[in-house]
């Protein structure tokens, strides 16, 4: 844009909420930013749920003559939204408006002004009490949002320590409103049991909303459960000049090319313990289904609610399934097993494969519903993982995980004299608990480890698909799984199987899950 006078604009990119209180406060903050921004035009847009969208806000700036736009995340910490979703929006804008210089700001992070504001909220809460309690006899309970990003969660832990040491609290308890552990109620229970005279509950949130209301409700419940402990509810950060000034500072940094992101410990850039698989993960937006959702719902007739798209096979696949359906008498099998059985015939090229498969009672239905509820599939090897249909995984929001190549699995295998596949299964037990569907298609040792954890340590995966191939321990491991009565399971006898077989079973269950969702929607429409 050299030789042309720049007209600058700032788009404050908010998360968005279904809670009108949160939207009102965010828009009040935008007004405060606008009042302090001088000649720069200021607009706002939402990533999810509410309108206007970020793209609509940018379009309005362009229509008013902006030639340089800084998109500043109106979020506290850098996690998925600031690292994936908002940059995806910015990329689309840069392609749509090549004549405009776009800049992306850093999240607010632990700015000194925000620490001062957190301090103010604590002091205000203490002032509202009728009691004087030494801070050495008080515990600060700091509540973060909670994310799947360990770096962002770590920043909340850092804030907790800084406030404890800076303000002289006797103790600090960190908890989260969701996703990360411990959750709010658990954190409050732990803190209340430590003998403190007072708990000061501080939500590290920008605005009111559904989650803040839940945090305060949990604090009220803790006060009722523990009448001997005073529980104070500190305010969230809210609409304040400090917050507005941090956003404007981030906008200036973006234009100057000084937007400092938390890259040194970003799980997408470097290998972080437990998150090694996400290095270099493609940048995909995860918010598109709920972008501008509230406005779309208001404009959409009740009868035209979003429907689940049916699974549409490739024509060759469809013809293969027609041939398989006509190729033998399928009436001898339970209807709920047919998708799995017929697709296994398609994978193996052998009608006899259907006669080999064993289903424990209700396994197919249980596994299908577990995919919808837990949304996580753990595999023993990457070949099973890559054999899962990406289209179905994305449609149903299902994540996959395989630990066979993780550094910790390698260390565990060496230290404990086990295979990497078995180590990956043990890590899945430690990492995810019971809310998984387990698909084993290569390693008999993975089945052996899974059944041992089930019997000796109470692990209860929602479904175990055990179909490894080979001659060493394969038959015995499948027999052991078949006798493992504590969990739903799908397996076979003998040496046949393999990663494609295990992936096929899960793919079939996902196809059934899509059909089940469509049936539920049609039933609800019929009832209405």
């Amino acid at each position: 844009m050299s030789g042309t006078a720049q007209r600058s604009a700032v788009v404050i990119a908010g998360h968005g909420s279904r809670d009108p209180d949160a939207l009102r406060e965010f828009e009040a903050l935008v007004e405060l930013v606008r009042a302090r921004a001088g000649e720069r035009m200021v607009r706002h847009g939402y990533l999810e749920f509410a309108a206007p969208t970020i793209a609509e806000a940018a379009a309005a700036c362009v229509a008013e003559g902006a030639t340089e736009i800084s998109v500043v995340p109106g979020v506290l910490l850098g996690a998925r939204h600031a690292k994936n979703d908002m940059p995806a929006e910015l990329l689309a804008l840069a392609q749509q408006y090549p004549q405009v210089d776009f800049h992306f700001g850093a999240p607010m992070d632990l700015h000194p002004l925000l620490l001062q504001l957190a301090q103010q909220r604590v002091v205000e809460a203490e002032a509202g009490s009728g009691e004087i309690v030494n801070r050495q006899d008080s515990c600060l309970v700091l509540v973060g949002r909670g994310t799947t990003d360990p770096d962002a969660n770590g920043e909340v832990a850092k804030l907790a320590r800084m406030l404890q040491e800076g303000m002289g609290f006797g103790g600090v308890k960190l908890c989260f409103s969701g996703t990360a552990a411990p959750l709010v109620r658990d954190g409050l229970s732990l803190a209340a049991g430590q003998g403190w005279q007072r708990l000061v509950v501080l939500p590290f949130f920008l605005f009111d909303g559904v989650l803040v209301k839940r945090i305060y409700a949990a604090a009220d419940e803790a006060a009722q459960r523990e009448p001997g402990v005073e529980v104070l509810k500190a305010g969230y950060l809210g609409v304040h000049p400090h917050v507005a000034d941090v956003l404007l500072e981030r906008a200036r940094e973006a234009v100057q090319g000084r937007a400092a992101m938390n890259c040194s410990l970003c799980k997408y850039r470097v290998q972080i313990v437990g998150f090694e698989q996400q290095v270099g993960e493609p940048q995909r937006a995860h918010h598109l289904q709920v972008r501008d959702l509230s406005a779309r719902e208001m404009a959409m007739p009740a009868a035209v609610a979003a429907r689940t798209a049916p699974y549409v096979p490739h024509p060759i696949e469809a013809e293969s399934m027609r041939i398989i359906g006509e190729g033998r008498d399928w009436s001898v099998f339970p209807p709920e097993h047919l998708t799995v059985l017929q697709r296994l015939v398609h994978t193996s090229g052998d009608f006899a494969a259907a006669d080999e498969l064993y289903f424990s009672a209700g396994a197919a239905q249980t596994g299908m519903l577990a995919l919808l509820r837990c949304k996580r599939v753990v595999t023993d090897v990457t070949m099973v993982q890559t054999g899962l249909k990406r289209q179905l995984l994305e449609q149903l929001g299902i994540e996959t995980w395989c630990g066979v190549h993780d550094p910790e699995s390698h260390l565990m295998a060496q230290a404990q004299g086990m295979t990497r596949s078995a180590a990956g299964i043990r890590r899945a037990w430690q990492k995810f608990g019971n809310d998984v569907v387990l698909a084993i298609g290569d390693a008999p040792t993975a089945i052996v480890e899974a059944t041992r954890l089930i019997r000796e340590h109470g692990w209860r995966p929602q479904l175990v698909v055990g179909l490894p191939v080979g001659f060493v321990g394969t038959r015995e491991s499948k027999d052991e799984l078949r006798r493992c009565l504590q969990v739903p399971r799908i397996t076979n006898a003998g040496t046949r199987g393999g990663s494609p077989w295990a992936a096929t079973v899960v793919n079939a269950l996902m196809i059934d899950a899509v059909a089940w969702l469509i049936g539920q929607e049609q039933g609800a429409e019929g009832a209405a």
Side-chain angles (χ1 to χ4, degrees):
M1 305 298 295
S2 59
T4 306
Q6 294 273 61
R7 186 169 184 205
S8 296
V10 178
V11 172
I12 308 299
H15 179 276
S17 174
R18 291 181 180 273
D19 190 309
D21 294 335
L23 300 181
R24 279 194 292 269
E25 290 189 355
F26 178 77
E27 289 164 16
L29 175 64
V30 172
E31 288 299 322
L32 184 57
V33 172
R34 185 175 289 118
R36 303 167 80 86
E39 296 182 356
R40 284 172 291 180
M41 69 177 78
V42 176
R43 290 274 186 169
H44 73 279
Y46 296 106
L47 188 68
E48 297 178 350
F49 300 117
T53 64
I54 296 169
E56 290 169 343
C61 292
V62 174
E64 292 178 32
T67 56
E68 180 181 68
I69 299 176
S70 299
V71 178
V72 180
V75 298
L76 287 170
L77 299 171
R80 173 177 282 181
H81 290 318
K83 293 180 180 179
N84 282 312
D85 299 332
M86 291 180 183
E89 291 273 345
L90 192 73
L91 178 62
L93 289 171
Q95 293 171 341
Q96 185 175 359
Y97 303 105
Q99 75 279 15
V100 177
D101 290 334
F102 283 95
H103 308 279
F104 188 57
M108 286 183 268
D109 290 322
L110 302 187
H111 193 286
L113 289 178
L114 299 186
L115 268 68
Q116 293 174 21
L117 184 51
Q119 177 188 40
Q120 178 180 329
R121 297 298 185 236
V122 170
V123 172
E124 290 168 350
E126 291 173 332
S129 170
E131 302 292 331
I132 297 177
V133 176
N134 192 310
R135 284 211 183 123
Q136 283 296 314
D137 298 318
S138 300
C139 178
L140 175 67
V141 180
L142 181 67
V143 186
R145 168 64 182 87
T147 79
T148 57
D149 193 306
D151 194 15
N153 293 335
E155 289 296 290
V156 183
K158 181 179 179 180
L159 173 64
R161 191 69 193 178
M162 294 177 76
L163 291 176
Q164 180 197 12
E165 294 189 14
M167 300 187 71
F169 280 96
V172 64
K173 177 59 66 176
L174 173 66
C175 51
F176 299 93
S177 65
T179 307
L183 296 177
V184 180
R185 286 178 172 80
D186 297 330
L188 285 167
S189 296
L190 290 170
Q194 293 175 343
W196 303 106
Q197 292 184 36
R198 169 183 285 170
L199 305 182
V200 181
V201 182
L202 174 63
F204 187 53
F205 282 70
L206 278 174
F207 307 111
D208 196 3
V210 174
L211 297 179
V212 170
K213 289 178 171 67
R214 290 176 183 170
I215 292 166
Y216 288 153
D220 290 337
E221 292 172 8
Q224 293 177 353
R225 287 196 311 268
E226 304 287 345
V229 180
E230 184 183 24
V231 180
L232 301 182
K233 295 180 289 187
Y236 47 89
L237 298 181
V239 181
H240 193 279
H242 284 357
V243 179
D245 289 344
V246 172
L247 290 170
L248 287 170
E249 182 176 330
R250 296 295 185 244
R252 287 193 298 271
E253 292 170 348
V255 172
Q256 296 166 0
R258 297 189 299 110
M261 301 292 284
N262 52 338
C263 296
S264 61
L265 289 175
C266 176
K267 66 178 181 177
Y268 301 114
R269 291 178 177 266
V270 296
Q271 286 198 339
I272 301 298
V273 171
F275 297 86
E276 294 88 351
Q277 290 179 315
Q278 293 186 261
V279 173
E281 188 174 89
Q283 192 175 66
R284 295 190 182 97
H286 298 83
H287 67 292
L288 300 179
Q289 290 184 331
V290 290
R291 182 170 58 184
D292 195 22
L293 182 60
S294 296
R296 286 190 282 117
E297 287 178 340
M298 291 176 64
M300 185 184 300
V304 192
R307 293 185 176 90
T308 301
Y311 173 71
V312 180
H314 185 277
I316 295 177
E317 178 187 348
E319 177 63 11
S320 296
M321 299 310 300
R322 184 193 65 78
I323 293 170
I324 291 168
E326 297 175 356
R328 66 168 291 171
D329 179 12
W330 293 99
S331 65
V332 297
F333 299 104
E336 63 269 21
H337 295 175
L338 290 183
T339 306
V340 171
L341 295 174
Q342 292 177 354
R343 290 198 163 268
L344 192 59
V345 169
H346 180 239
T347 296
S348 65
D350 184 358
F351 279 97
D355 299 306
E356 299 176 14
L357 215 59
Y358 165 79
F359 295 78
S360 67
Q365 179 78 357
T366 299
M368 181 269 290
L369 294 175
L371 289 171
L372 294 174
R373 182 177 64 83
C374 303
K375 297 187 178 298
R376 179 172 285 114
V377 177
V378 169
T379 69
D380 63 327
V381 292
T382 53
M383 188 176 293
V384 179
Q385 187 180 34
T386 56
L388 300 177
K389 289 183 178 291
R390 184 63 49 189
Q391 170 194 344
L392 290 168
L393 292 171
E394 292 179 355
Q395 180 180 4
L396 298 174
I398 296 172
E399 297 182 356
T400 66
W401 187 87
C402 176
V404 70
H405 295 303
D406 278 0
E408 187 174 338
S409 296
H410 179 61
L411 292 172
M412 183 183 293
Q414 286 185 322
Q416 304 206 25
M418 61 198 311
T419 68
R420 288 194 190 186
S421 296
I425 296 301
R426 187 178 298 184
R427 289 199 59 223
W429 165 62
Q430 295 170 337
K431 192 177 180 72
F432 303 117
N434 296 337
D435 287 338
V436 296
V437 168
L438 189 58
I440 299 172
D442 181 78
T445 57
I447 291 184
V448 171
E449 179 65 13
T451 55
R452 190 186 68 79
L453 292 170
I454 290 166
R455 286 184 169 145
E456 297 179 13
H457 297 277
W459 192 26
R460 295 295 183 268
Q462 303 301 300
L463 173 70
V464 179
V465 178
L467 293 166
V469 62
F471 296 92
V472 180
T474 303
R475 189 190 307 271
E476 294 81 3
S477 69
K478 293 176 182 177
D479 290 344
E480 183 69 15
L481 176 60
R482 187 164 180 165
R483 293 192 297 267
C484 189
L485 304 180
Q486 295 92 332
V487 295
R489 55 218 181 275
I490 299 174
T491 186
N492 68 342
T495 58
R496 295 215 299 169
S499 297
W501 286 39
T504 293
V505 171
V506 178
N507 286 334
L509 294 176
M510 289 194 290
I511 291 170
D512 279 348
V514 169
W516 183 84
L517 289 173
I518 293 172
Q520 294 294 110
E521 292 163 359
Q522 292 173 345
E525 291 172 5

